[in-house]
Amino acid sequence: MKKIVGIVSAAAVLASSIFAADVSAATKINGKLFSFDADKKLDLFAQGNDSHDYANPNLTFSISDEKAGATIKLTTDGSTLNVAQTTQTIWFKPIDALKISLGSYDLALNKEQIDWTESITGLGGNGYLVSVNAAGFGLDVFLNEGNNNAFWLSKADGADNPTIAEFGAKAGYSADFGTIGAFVDINRTTNRWTYHDALAQIDQKADGAIKNVMFGAGYRNNFSGVDAFCNVVGYMGDKFDWIRPEAYASGNFDGFYFGLFAAPVIWTNADLNKDFEMEVVAKVSYALDGVTPYLYFKDNNVAAKTFASTIKAGATGNVGLMGWNIWFQVDTGANDAGDSTVAFSVPFELTVSF
């Protein structure tokens, strides 16, 4: 009888913990109704079943109390539709102001909110994260091992220097005047977003445990409904290679939204023989009854000789619990011969979250 009671009690505890967990899901179908590419190839009706997106996982499980918690995110790969990526985090608090996390973590000094990926100050990774928060002050110290089960530091017998993976720290202070912050990122690797990977791989030191150092500072505040920040980021390999200011502003007034992100790259190492670069991302929209039309523009380098950009004119809305997004897209660029090219397409996205 005692054994039966024990089993029932254990089942009750397990059930209560299961039902206390927060479970959310999202699925996204995307595709193209029409495409006319730079090689003048015509295509119609493509469909993709893929939620491999850091912001839109298929399934998210999370559970926590005041002292500890965990999150698991499952996503699918568009080519096989199998679960191809799992990120998970377990955290605990030895004291209220101290949080220790193991697994995946997401950090950024300031992040633009048009594409959510364009700031080079993204510091997320996989490894160890120690966070301290008290009286408006925050400090995050991280060891990014990168690959699963990889060691952060290794030193072979007889080697002059150890091999050290990425590590760094971010600090910030928030008060009535806004938020100020700074970071240092040492031995940065290529597990980052979009073309910015190339910036951190240009001039790494050949010898020694420290290969490169990225550092920066930023300020963010809200000015009468306009959210704005400014970052200044620098990079050193063998020499001080470049500095990249980043500016962002967005606002929403009576249904009208605007967002603008601009970031030049100023090359300080003449040996690299690099020209001035300037990235621009912009979006405007206006919410009507049941539909929100928008215009979007992105160019990784508006200072380039070739006009290579993405322009979107579309609309978003909802049909019941389903969100939809459809747009006409123009992509400009150049082919291998240096001739200008233009491609047209009509992509779409259908999303349901529950």
Side-chain angles (χ1 to χ4, degrees), residues 285-305:
S285 65
Y286 188 75
L288 300 172
D289 187 15
V291 64
T292 300
Y294 66 87
L295 293 173
Y296 169 97
F297 172 84
K298 178 178 179 179
D299 194 321
N300 284 338
N301 185 13
V302 295
K305 296 179 181 179

Side-chain angles (χ1 to χ4, degrees), residues 164-220:
I164 302 177
E166 183 180 11
F167 66 104
K170 180 179 79 73
Y173 181 73
S174 298
D176 294 339
F177 58 78
T179 300
I180 56 174
F183 78 93
V184 60
D185 189 3
I186 301 171
N187 289 347
R188 187 180 179 95
T189 58
T190 57
N191 57 340
R192 293 298 183 263
W193 308 109
T194 66
Y195 86 107
H196 303 312
D197 294 344
L199 290 177
Q201 298 296 313
I202 287 174
D203 182 38
Q204 296 193 80
K205 295 179 181 178
D207 299 319
I210 303 302
K211 300 297 184 183
N212 59 68
V213 180
M214 186 179 293
F215 51 91
Y219 170 72
R220 188 167 199 152

Side-chain angles (χ1 to χ4, degrees), residues 251-298:
N252 201 326
F253 304 96
D254 297 325
F256 172 75
Y257 162 85
F258 77 91
L260 175 63
F261 177 79
V265 178
I266 303 167
W267 301 95
T268 56
N269 184 355
D271 295 339
L272 297 175
N273 193 27
K274 293 284 188 177
D275 296 326
F276 173 80
E277 297 182 17
M278 176 79 166
E279 180 186 11
V280 174
V281 184
K283 184 178 181 179
V284 294
S285 65
Y286 188 75
L288 300 172
D289 187 15
V291 64
T292 300
Y294 66 87
L295 293 173
Y296 169 97
F297 172 84
K298 178 178 179 179

